[in-house]
Amino acid sequence: MVNTWIAATLVAVIAGVVGFFVVLRGAAFVAHAIPHGAFGGAAGAVLIGVNPIAGLGVFAVGGALGIGWLGRRGRHDVATALALVLMLGLGALFLSFSVEYAAAIYSLLFGEVLGVPSDELLPIAGLGIACIAALALLYRPLMLTSITPEVAEARGVRAQRIETGFLLVVALAATMTVPVVGVLLMFSLMIGPAATAGSLTRSPRNAIGLSVLLALATVWLAVAVSYLTNLPVGFFVGTLGAVSYGCARIWTARRRGRTATA
Amino acid sequence: MNQLLRALFAPGFFASGPVHAALVVGAVVALVTGAVGVFTVIRGQAFAGHALGEVGSAGGSAAFLGGANPLWGFMGIAVVAAGLIELLGLHRPRARDVATGLVLGAGLGLAALFLYLDATSSSTTGVAVTILFGSLFAVSQQMLPSIVALSAVSLVVIALCYRMLLLSSLSSDLAAARGVPVRALGIAYLVIMAVAVSLAAETIGAILATALVVGPPATALRLTKRPGGALVVAGLVGVAAVWLGIVLAYDSYYWAPAGHGWPVSFFVVALVFLFYLVAGAVTGIAEARRRRHWETAPRLAASGCAEHPGDAA
Amino acid sequence: MNVLPDHGADDPILSVDGVSVWLSGREVLHDVRFRIMPGEFTGLIGSNGAGKTTLFRVILGLQASSTGSVLVGGRPLTRRNPIIGYVPQKVFLDPDMPLRARDVVALGLDGHRLGVPLGWRRRRQAVDAMLDAVDARHFADARVGNLSGGEQQRVLIAHALISRPRLLLLDEPLANLDIRAEGEVVALLARIAREQRIAVLISAHDVNPLLPVLDRLVYVASGKTASGTTAEVIRAEVLSALYGQHVDVLRVHGRILVVAGAEGPSGVTFEETDGAAVGPDIVSLR
Ligand SMILES: Nc1ncnc2c1ncn2[C@@H]1O[C@H](COP(=O)(O)OP(=O)(O)OP(=O)(O)O)[C@@H](O)[C@H]1O
Ligand SMILES: [Mg+2]
């Protein structure tokens, strides 16, 4: 149980920070596609008998590079969709060959936070620090290319490289979190809290901070309720994310209405 | 000739009942997803399309829980999700992206719940796999009329709204100025997309449905710039991918490991991807040839050989 | 720093020499040549599709030209030129981004660098000073996507100016502004150009709002350009040659009215300026 809390906390911090940039760049599809597609790699790794994390990592990084490469030559959302289905299609193929798939696929997709072995905590923490360091390094160019790509280009920022770097960070985050919390949980944790924070605050720094806090609150609440009810954590995280964003939107709309009439 | 045919089609291919059903369903579904998908790609709604497919898996698993055919579950939830996406995040790109993402997250949460309940309430294991990854050979014969009818309705709606959809995809303000009910049209379109995605989910699985909805249309739009032509080409590319996929999957029973068929969905997805890459390469080569031609043009103009390089060709 | 040892104050900050650009088999710009001296306020005037944005992209080193050369600060083009500030034509600031006006300005300082910014107090002072300079202090902490078009334009100008450029390129900054906001932005730019000796190249499809402050103008039409002072360029011979058809410049009530045939710039008015009609320094014609 302690391990679960630690793992959930680590994942929430990372998802909160990465999620801020995902929402800022309107990259929810990519943030969904990379972890989800990487699941195919885990299935392949299980089939050939290596550690699923290796398979996840290979597919996540391959997917990130593939989406970056295809997106340069066509529409970005089309590239993402096709890279995703290709990886998932391979996953379907690998799954059809392995014998004991049902339980494994279920936990990879929807997460089983309630049983984290303690020797997985250290790698998660390490990769998490790497993710956040990489984002700190890319912070300013990421912001600039998100706001005015033309100016970024004029100032010598290679938008494509920054984009690829960002995709690789998402891939890194996916590799370490998916085996622990599953595809669904990671994705929901990246979008819901960050979007809620973004609609409640004005400065990027506050938005990142609030995003992390909300992610922590969401995951702690979800784990607790899941523990009590025995229902999947992913269900609670997904719903909590949507509900908190909905509440934030209603609240800001109300407040704007009140200041307008005042 | 006969030998070639025998090498291509494994014995029993043409006599098999499930194969016939799969060929018919696959072709019908590919035509619909091709037509609907062209607008999905033009309108930049690939993410919404994918989200509807995955959210649909919640409906599929719920229907399984209630003992109904998954198609109805897919469709019910996908239509609701389409309405939510359209109502939540509207004109601004980031709001739309986030709304789609949240609907997807919540829908997947529901899917997790229902699949979990499926797994605990029945002893059958592979439910999750069937719903998520589909199997064209397992499409039940009774569903055939429903699938064909739904496809026909979708095609008719697309044909009726064709010009309005095109205009509103170009610029919703422009369409609104011409009296197009943009909002209603947007919802209607998402509903049709939900139906198409559900049909695709029934054939190649909920999380692979995107392949048929996005792949062939994107391929077609690379090959032809005219939207009308793209509808036809997308349908043809889709049918080609599905039929070839069926043939290969049937053949794969005789590949290693013997006696184990590879999933049809995998072949369909791989072929769709391959077609997209090939179309990109073909247009890339044509583009490069044109560019080489133009690069010589300024010199010609400067030396007075041709005032308008286009005429020199 | 911006001090270029081999570059004196009397040398042009920008010289464009015989630049032609081909895009998709069409010559969008033909043999463009003009110079801008430090501190000069230059208008780049042309109708939609004349090639203004393309010319900016060439100067920024983002678009290769087929012929000709461009020198910025006396040096050939590089991909990243710190002495140029740029305000692009279309900037969509999404209200869904959690960004204040001051965050956008701060990104102008060092947004291209890797790593997180250090020295918060110094940065904050610099940003505040810049916001004061463009009269944007009172909405510094508002969400930038919710600001009005004119306010956003001022924020973007501050964003371009904070890195202390010596040449400021503004692509249609007056589009979508009402007459009052137009006047304010033009006065602001003129003041900054004068006080900080920044050369300004500003594109517009209408010369009128700029007339009070323009030192020189570059007129783009049919891919060709003419440059000089207003009095030099806005003349019947010059414009007729540019448009390739007869154009009359009429003086009515102290204003200049340019009248042309069917496809010409009919009805475009130019106010009369002083100065004798001297020949334009460069008129490029085929
Ligand atoms: N990448 C491109 N490929 C082909 N043609 C192009 C390309 N970019 C611009 N053009 C063409 O070059 C011409 C000049 O475009 P440009 O954007 O420079 O005009 P502009 O003067 O900035 O117009 P506006 O006032 O509308 O902004 C236009 O006719 C446009 O169609
Ligand atoms: Mg322009």
Side-chain angles (χ1 to χ4, degrees), chain A residues 24 26-29 32 36 73 75 77-78 82 84-85 89-90 96-97 101 106 109-110 146 184 187 195 230 235 245, chain B residues 41 44 46-47 50 54 94 97-98 101-102 105 108-109 112 115-116 129 132-133 218 222 257 260 262-263 266 269 276:
Chain A
L24 180 80
F29 195 13
H32 170 74
H36 203 2
R73 283 157 187 79
R75 294 190 60 121
D77 60 341
V78 167
L82 290 178
L84 168 58
V85 291
L90 286 170
S96 82
F97 287 133
Y101 47 76
Y106 182 84
L109 279 179
F110 301 114
S146 310
L184 159 64
F187 171 65
N230 240 339
F235 169 65
Y245 178 70
Chain B
V41 173
F47 186 28
H50 177 75
E54 292 217 13
R94 283 180 182 81
D97 194 56
V98 162
L102 287 172
L108 277 175
L115 284 175
Y116 171 80
V129 176
L132 295 174
F133 298 110
R222 279 186 156 182
H260 177 95
W262 296 25
F266 163 72
V269 168
Y276 178 74

Side-chain angles (χ1 to χ4, degrees), chain B residues 61 64-67 114-128:
Chain B
S61 38
F64 185 86
L65 207 59
F114 291 138
L115 284 175
Y116 171 80
L117 295 178
D118 284 348
T120 47
S121 72
S122 75
S123 52
T124 25
T125 44
V127 186

Side-chain angles (χ1 to χ4, degrees), chain A residues 158-169:
Chain A
R158 307 264 174 178
Q160 313 249 313
R161 281 188 209 168
I162 300 296
E163 169 75 13
T164 307
F166 175 66
L167 292 178
L168 286 176
V169 170

Side-chain angles (χ1 to χ4, degrees), chain C residues 84-97:
Chain C
I84 304 183
Y86 177 45
V87 179
Q89 179 171 10
K90 276 175 278 180
V91 179
F92 171 63
L93 295 169
D94 193 333
D96 294 312
M97 289 189 297

Side-chain angles (χ1 to χ4, degrees), chain A residues 52-142:
Chain A
I53 295 191
L56 272 171
V58 169
F59 263 50
V61 170
L65 295 176
I67 290 171
W69 183 79
L70 282 174
R72 239 167 277 169
R73 283 157 187 79
R75 294 190 60 121
H76 206 275
D77 60 341
V78 167
T80 311
L82 290 178
L84 168 58
V85 291
L86 182 68
M87 291 193 284
L88 285 174
L90 286 170
L93 179 67
F94 299 146
L95 276 178
S96 82
F97 287 133
S98 57
V99 259
E100 16 102 57
Y101 47 76
I105 166 188
Y106 182 84
S107 88
L108 272 177
L109 279 179
F110 301 114
E112 284 306 330
V113 194
L114 301 182
V116 182
S118 36
D119 59 341
E120 280 190 11
L121 291 179
L122 211 61
I124 297 181
L127 281 173
I129 291 169
C131 265
I132 291 177
L135 281 178
L137 191 68
L138 293 176
Y139 178 75
R140 282 180 288 189
L142 270 176

Side-chain angles (χ1 to χ4, degrees), chain C residues 53-68:
Chain C
T53 302
T54 308
L55 184 54
F56 278 144
R57 288 181 59 81
V58 171
I59 296 169
L60 287 164
L62 300 176
Q63 166 72 55
S65 59
S66 310
T67 60

